[in-house]
Amino acid sequence: MHWKTQSVAPERVVTEARAEAVRVTKPDGTRLVLHQPEIVGDTLFGVRRDVWPRDGRPRPAVALADVRAIAVRRVDAIGTAVVGLGTLALAGVIALGLAWSSRAD
């Protein structure tokens, strides 16, 4: 999986893509991953799994005006296929090696 920066407004990403998590880049370059993103008024709210709600602080929020870039996680289909095929090929080589080594001469 990888983050894919979106070319549309954050409002559209959250409402139309229905992403489970978004990565927000702020004007200072810092990045913040928000799970369960939600827009209320002019603010993007979410949950940071490493912080909230365990420590009692309010949900993290970023003003939409402060969102320099927004990205969503996407599955890399080609990369996943390559890993899957590589795993199958390795399993086949191991099976052939075991069959060859246990063969009675």
Side-chain angles (χ1 to χ4, degrees), residues 17-87:
R18 300 183 194 273
E20 188 163 314
V22 295
R23 185 182 69 188
V24 175
T25 304
K26 297 180 184 182
D28 65 1
T30 59
R31 292 179 175 166
L32 176 67
V33 176
L34 299 175
H35 297 269
Q36 303 169 3
E38 171 184 31
I39 295 178
V40 178
D42 63 350
T43 305
L44 173 61
F45 290 92
V47 174
R48 286 189 55 196
R49 290 198 175 156
D50 61 330
V51 176
W52 187 82
R54 292 184 297 268
D55 68 357
R57 288 190 278 181
R59 292 188 327 170
V62 178
L64 292 174
D66 291 337
V67 175
R68 187 176 76 188
I70 189 164
V72 295
R73 292 204 65 144
R74 295 286 185 231
V75 174
D76 182 1
I78 293 173
T80 302
V82 167
V83 169
L85 291 174
T87 302

